[in-house]
Amino acid sequence: MPDTGGYFDRAMAWLKARHGAANIVCAEVHLDERTPHLVVYVTPLTRDGRLSARDFLGGPAKLRKMQTDFHHWCGKPFGLSRGIEGTKAPHQKVARYYQALATPEPIITRTDLAAAVVGIHTQSYTALLDRAKASTTQHELQAKTMATLRDRQAALERGRIKLENSQRQLDDREVELEKRIDQLGKIDQALELALLTADREKERADGSATKLAFLLRRLSHGNMLLLPH
């Protein structure tokens, strides 16, 4: 699957949150067109156990709201623009669009113009209109594509800056942890030295106590002459 920067993963998360993970029958990415697209089959099973597409879709207003919500959560973070809401622009057939672009620019005569004045569109005049519409559409698509690319680039730049800041914070924390580790190492060394000193002092105290006990035993077993009369 091509790398889409997590776009399809985010779309799946949105679908699961909206329709319920249990209602998603299958999902797969199709690569049969220039732009990869995600196809998802969802069972419209409501919470009370009914199959109701109306509850999921609910007419044009709810569909527009769903598209806006999808753009907010899935499209906008990737620098994508939402389609114009409520637009009345007619759909132009793809074949006619590309045919108009590929057709050489027609030659318009005075006869074609005169006919157009009275509402009669000759073949050359019709071809000219189709080419003009295709060129306008192409220009709009190019402008929208460039705007989307700029938005995408800006989003990527913000992401890069955010990652750099996060990396910088991680580096600062790593340095701080290394300092604390060094401090703990010094504390461990001081404790080891203190324990070693305590052991030596204990050995000396034990030796002094042994000597004192020995002297006390000798004094108690006949060294009374040392006492004054």
Side-chain angles (χ1 to χ4, degrees), residues 90-111:
H91 177 72
Q92 185 177 10
K93 291 184 178 180
V94 176
R96 185 175 179 181
Y97 167 75
Y98 285 109
Q99 181 180 4
L101 288 180
T103 302
E105 187 172 351
I107 299 175
I108 301 298
T109 64
R110 291 182 179 181
T111 303

Side-chain angles (χ1 to χ4, degrees), residues 100-155:
L101 288 180
T103 302
E105 187 172 351
I107 299 175
I108 301 298
T109 64
R110 291 182 179 181
T111 303
D112 297 320
L113 294 176
V117 170
V118 296
I120 300 174
H121 292 177
T122 63
Q123 183 177 359
S124 297
Y125 190 81
T126 301
L128 180 64
L129 291 179
D130 289 341
R131 184 175 180 85
K133 290 179 181 179
S135 298
T136 301
T137 302
Q138 185 183 35
H139 176 74
E140 292 175 352
L141 289 175
Q142 289 176 346
K144 188 173 182 179
T145 299
M146 292 302 298
T148 300
L149 289 175
R150 286 193 295 268
D151 293 341
R152 175 62 171 160
Q153 184 63 33

Side-chain angles (χ1 to χ4, degrees), residues 4-165:
T4 57
Y7 174 75
F8 288 148
D9 294 334
R10 196 175 184 91
M12 283 300 302
W14 180 85
L15 286 169
K16 291 178 181 178
R18 178 178 176 83
H19 301 301
N23 288 345
I24 296 179
V25 179
C26 68
E28 59 183 6
V29 176
H30 287 185
L31 305 177
D32 56 334
E33 297 180 8
R34 180 175 299 179
T35 302
H37 51 282
L38 176 66
V39 177
V40 182
Y41 293 91
V42 180
T43 302
L45 184 65
T46 62
R47 294 183 178 179
D48 55 356
R50 295 179 296 109
L51 287 174
S52 176
R54 180 180 295 274
D55 288 3
F56 277 68
L57 303 179
K62 194 170 183 178
L63 282 174
R64 286 194 294 269
K65 185 178 182 302
M66 182 181 68
Q67 292 172 345
T68 300
D69 185 70
F70 179 83
H71 170 258
H72 175 75
W73 292 105
C74 302
K76 190 175 180 180
F78 292 89
L80 301 177
S81 301
R82 189 199 185 288
I84 301 175
E85 187 173 354
T87 179
K88 301 299 182 180
H91 177 72
Q92 185 177 10
K93 291 184 178 180
V94 176
R96 185 175 179 181
Y97 167 75
Y98 285 109
Q99 181 180 4
L101 288 180
T103 302
E105 187 172 351
I107 299 175
I108 301 298
T109 64
R110 291 182 179 181
T111 303
D112 297 320
L113 294 176
V117 170
V118 296
I120 300 174
H121 292 177
T122 63
Q123 183 177 359
S124 297
Y125 190 81
T126 301
L128 180 64
L129 291 179
D130 289 341
R131 184 175 180 85
K133 290 179 181 179
S135 298
T136 301
T137 302
Q138 185 183 35
H139 176 74
E140 292 175 352
L141 289 175
Q142 289 176 346
K144 188 173 182 179
T145 299
M146 292 302 298
T148 300
L149 289 175
R150 286 193 295 268
D151 293 341
R152 175 62 171 160
Q153 184 63 33
L156 291 174
E157 182 65 17
R158 290 193 297 269
R160 183 188 65 80
I161 294 174
K162 186 176 180 180
L163 286 175
E164 288 181 353
N165 291 335

Side-chain angles (χ1 to χ4, degrees), residues 207-225:
S208 298
T210 301
K211 292 178 181 180
L212 181 59
F214 176 74
L215 292 175
L216 290 176
R217 284 196 300 272
R218 289 188 61 185
L219 290 174
S220 62
H221 287 83
N223 291 331
M224 303 301 294
L225 295 176

Side-chain angles (χ1 to χ4, degrees), residues 154-216:
L156 291 174
E157 182 65 17
R158 290 193 297 269
R160 183 188 65 80
I161 294 174
K162 186 176 180 180
L163 286 175
E164 288 181 353
N165 291 335
S166 298
Q167 184 62 46
R168 191 177 298 109
Q169 292 177 358
L170 289 175
D171 293 340
D172 293 340
R173 291 182 181 180
E174 184 177 356
V175 172
E176 183 65 25
L177 285 175
E178 289 179 353
K179 291 181 180 178
R180 293 185 179 183
I181 290 174
D182 291 340
Q183 293 176 353
L184 289 175
K186 294 178 181 179
I187 293 174
D188 288 341
Q189 292 177 357
L191 287 175
E192 290 179 359
L193 181 60
L195 289 174
L196 181 61
T197 302
D199 290 340
R200 291 177 179 176
E201 293 296 331
K202 185 177 181 301
E203 291 177 358
R204 293 176 182 176
D206 291 342
S208 298
T210 301
K211 292 178 181 180
L212 181 59
F214 176 74
L215 292 175
L216 290 176

